[in-house]
Amino acid sequence: MFKNIKNDLPASIVVFFVALPLCLGIALASGAPLFSGLIAGIVGGIIVGSLSGSSIGVSGPAAGLAAIVSAAIISLEGFETFLLAVVLAGVIQIGFGLLRFGIIAYYFPSSVIKGMLTGIGIIIILKEIPHFFGYDKDAIGDFAYNQMDGQTTFTELGNMMDYISPGATLIALVSLAILILWDKVLTKKSSIFKLIQGPLVAVVLGIVFFSFTLGTDLEISKEHLVQIPVPEDFSSFLGQFTFPNWSAITTSGIWVTAFTIALVASLETLLCVEATDKLDPEKRVTPTNRELLAQGAGNMVSGLIGGLPITQVIVRSSTNIQSGGKSKLSAIIHGFFLILAVIAIPTLMNKIPLSVLAAVLLVVGYKLANPKLFVKMYRMGWKQFIPFIVTVIGIVRLDLLKGIGLGLAVGIIIILYKSYQNSHFLHIEDKSNGKQKIKMTLAEEVTFFNKGAILKELDALEENSYLELDVRNTRYLDNDIIEILEDFQEKAKNRNITINLISTRGTVENPDSYIEFFKLKPTS
């Protein structure tokens, strides 16, 4: 695991700087204590990172669960009772892993997964633009369309124009220039620029800028900085940990909440695993059942010590990949950096301008939502582009799971449509002896989805036609199709249509019973 430390250590630093404000922001958006978000980030990095089979995935509190968490804390009448639901959700996730539910991840179309990555990239860009200009009314981890401050993703962009902070904007512009220069020029000049990452330089410069502009017109006020809780001493630090209310375990509401968290967290994790594997330059495949076991263990630990629910998250995972992370060591180290920030240097971390971290996230978002991908997906044809663009719009306008659900629904409709089209091959020959000869070759698998297409072709046959029905390549023929042929038998007699059935067992003209014929012939 340590052979790639020269890549994993710099990557873990960048992931840490991205994860830090997201952990705090997601906790704020969830209506939970800020420290609970940091606990989830630490557990996601160290515990889940150690147990997971993913080489480059990073886990932590998820923005997609913020609404569920916020509602659950209210409905369960207390954060301690909610923590019990998180622990039970972890137990349920372990059950999902043991039952091998991870296979679900392999059934999401590639176009939908690419749409998911692009949609998340666009959300990051739209959400970070206000923070880039020093407008921080909304939590930096709130990725929902309807925000906790009463605004939406798009109205927030209009409101920020009246609240631009000169100092925050200036350092954000400088940071963005550094990140672009680092990525496009300097890393190609020398290996030292790969070891020392651009985001680290930008953050250090942001701290220096804040320190030197105090008392000037460019001073960045406290609300535009990272805000880690600063304990007065070790005992007050320990006092930030919260523990589950075990007395509520017999109530039905706790189990409903636990199952909801387990289901949504598992789906988000599996989607992220599939997306992360596609981004992985080495194209490694994550064992999904093991991932569910790791996430379950992580949620149990997080809930036991006062943390938010955990999933594998695409923002931190993609940041890890873009920063050159090679193994799970990167995720683990970022967890230890979070511990260091909370215990040893919270005051220093609280001097980091949010606009600098917004610049880092803007670069991450742009790489996820690269305009070239839209062109590529369009050129692949409408069957790929439509599920892709529907997923993107759904994620931006609604939320992650709803966007994925819409894209998946459109993908299924397209599959059914193509199945409807591809059930058979029809060849029409010129009329001879007063009869039109038609050859219909059925596909390898013909199911009830194909009923409409086949019935349409049979009903369109002219009177006095000659139909050759070739089923030699058909491995599976649904009983619904056999019944259609059986019903057509009478229509054929009335319209003087001759049917010649060609099979591997020979040729039968005007068979008396298709049902009896296919009972003799294995259809699966």
Side-chain angles (χ1 to χ4, degrees):
M1 185 168 62
F2 290 92
K3 67 179 181 180
N4 294 307
I5 193 167
K6 67 177 183 179
N7 300 102
D8 292 331
L9 181 58
S12 68
I13 296 173
V14 182
V15 175
F16 158 69
F17 284 126
V18 168
L20 182 62
L22 290 179
C23 290
L24 295 168
I26 291 168
L28 184 61
S30 303
L34 293 181
F35 195 63
S36 66
L38 294 170
I39 291 173
I42 292 167
V43 173
I46 298 173
I47 304 297
V48 178
S50 300
L51 298 175
S52 170
S54 176
S55 299
I56 31 72
V58 182
S59 297
L65 286 171
I68 295 174
V69 171
S70 179
I73 292 173
I74 295 171
S75 65
L76 296 175
E77 299 179 350
F79 185 65
E80 291 81 3
T81 306
F82 167 76
L83 290 178
L84 177 59
V86 177
V87 175
L88 296 175
V91 175
I92 294 170
Q93 279 188 292
I94 290 175
F96 287 165
L98 294 174
L99 292 172
R100 309 187 70 80
F101 284 178
I103 195 172
I104 296 171
Y106 304 126
Y107 289 93
F108 291 98
S110 174
S111 58
V112 173
I113 297 300
K114 290 175 182 176
M116 167 188 156
L117 291 169
T118 305
I120 291 173
I122 292 173
I123 285 178
I124 292 171
I125 293 171
L126 294 175
K127 291 292 186 179
E128 296 310 317
I129 288 175
H131 297 292
F132 184 90
F133 289 102
Y135 182 63
D136 300 301
K137 294 294 183 182
D138 186 52
I140 201 167
D142 185 2
F143 289 159
Y145 180 78
N146 294 305
Q147 299 176 171
M148 58 183 294
D149 62 355
Q151 301 296 323
T152 69
T153 301
F154 296 108
T155 60
E156 192 86 347
L157 294 173
N159 291 338
M160 77 176 184
M161 301 307 296
D162 298 326
Y163 299 94
I164 292 177
S165 167
T169 303
L170 177 60
I171 190 58
L173 289 169
V174 173
S175 299
L176 186 61
I178 289 173
L179 294 169
I180 295 172
L181 179 67
W182 221 269
D183 185 49
K184 300 295 183 182
V185 180
L186 296 181
T187 53
K188 299 174 183 177
K189 297 289 185 181
S190 173
S191 58
I192 188 66
F193 296 110
K194 293 181 180 179
L195 183 63
I196 302 173
Q197 292 280 333
L200 175 60
V201 176
V203 168
V204 171
L205 185 63
I207 294 173
V208 172
F209 180 87
F210 166 76
S211 301
F212 277 89
T213 55
L214 288 172
T216 70
D217 292 338
L218 295 176
E219 179 180 351
I220 301 175
S221 56
K222 182 180 178 181
E223 64 266 23
H224 302 315
L225 303 171
V226 171
Q227 297 182 36
I228 300 176
V230 181
E232 296 179 0
D233 49 38
F234 189 68
S235 61
S236 62
F237 169 73
L238 293 177
Q240 296 180 93
F241 289 91
T242 314
F243 305 100
N245 174 21
W246 293 99
S247 63
I249 197 167
T250 56
T251 61
S252 59
I254 201 80
W255 288 95
V256 172
T257 301
F259 186 80
T260 302
I261 293 172
L263 184 62
V264 175
S266 297
L267 283 174
E268 288 206 18
T269 292
L270 293 175
L271 286 165
C272 183
V273 164
E274 186 73 4
T276 303
D277 285 351
K278 287 189 180 299
L279 292 174
D280 184 6
E282 298 181 25
K283 302 303 177 187
R284 290 164 287 191
V285 178
T286 300
T288 52
N289 294 313
R290 177 176 169 181
E291 188 65 29
L292 290 177
L293 293 172
Q295 296 291 334
N299 274 316
M300 287 182 66
V301 174
S302 184
L304 285 170
I305 59 176
L308 292 176
I310 294 168
T311 74
Q312 190 178 125
V313 277
I314 195 62
V315 179
R316 272 154 274 189
S317 299
S318 60
T319 301
N320 188 28
I321 296 167
Q322 293 169 17
S323 303
K326 296 291 184 182
S327 77
K328 61 167 66 182
L329 186 63
S330 175
I332 296 170
I333 294 176
H334 115 276
F336 282 107
F337 279 141
L338 285 172
I339 293 178
L340 180 67
V342 170
I343 297 177
I345 52 172
T347 304
L348 179 63
M349 292 295 100
N350 286 344
K351 294 180 180 180
I352 301 175
L354 291 176
S355 61
V356 172
L357 300 178
V360 175
L361 285 167
L362 280 175
V363 174
V364 173
Y366 177 80
K367 289 183 177 180
L368 286 174
N370 194 311
K372 292 180 181 178
L373 182 59
F374 286 87
V375 177
K376 180 181 177 182
M377 294 302 295
Y378 180 78
R379 289 176 176 172
M380 290 177 70
W382 68 272
K383 294 189 292 295
Q384 292 293 313
F385 184 73
I386 292 180
F388 166 79
I389 201 69
V390 167
T391 304
V392 171
I393 295 171
I395 289 174
V396 173
R397 182 58 182 82
L398 300 171
D399 60 41
L400 177 65
L401 290 181
K402 289 178 182 176
I404 290 287
L406 284 173
L408 189 59
V410 171
I412 291 172
I413 290 171
I414 290 175
I415 289 171
L416 295 179
Y417 175 72
K418 295 308 295 180
S419 178
Y420 169 88
Q421 283 188 323
N422 298 331
S423 59
H424 62 279
F425 172 78
L426 195 67
H427 178 67
I428 302 176
E429 295 184 3
D430 293 333
K431 290 183 180 180
S432 57
N433 300 323
K435 286 196 172 186
Q436 186 180 44
K437 185 177 179 181
I438 299 100
K439 183 176 181 180
M440 181 186 290
T441 304
L442 295 188
E444 187 173 349
E445 292 188 7
V446 189
T447 69
F448 69 93
F449 293 131
N450 312 122
K451 287 171 62 176
I454 294 175
L455 190 58
K456 179 183 176 182
E457 298 289 3
L458 293 176
D459 286 343
L461 294 179
E462 298 179 3
E463 291 187 4
N464 304 313
S465 299
Y466 183 87
L467 173 64
E468 278 190 0
L469 188 61
D470 191 341
V471 295
R472 285 176 293 185
N473 295 323
T474 306
R475 302 289 183 187
Y476 176 79
L477 195 64
D478 202 338
N479 190 65
D480 289 51
I481 307 301
I482 298 174
E483 289 182 3
I484 285 177
L485 297 175
E486 193 79 13
D487 293 340
F488 182 71
Q489 184 179 21
E490 291 301 319
K491 297 178 183 178
K493 289 178 182 178
N494 296 333
R495 292 156 59 186
N496 196 26
I497 297 174
T498 302
I499 303 175
N500 195 29
L501 184 62
I502 305 172
S503 73
T504 54
R505 297 190 291 112
T507 301
V508 180
E509 189 168 292
N510 292 327
D512 294 328
S513 173
Y514 291 90
I515 294 177
E516 293 301 321
F517 178 84
F518 285 109
K519 279 183 179 178
L520 296 173
K521 177 181 180 291
T523 57
S524 63

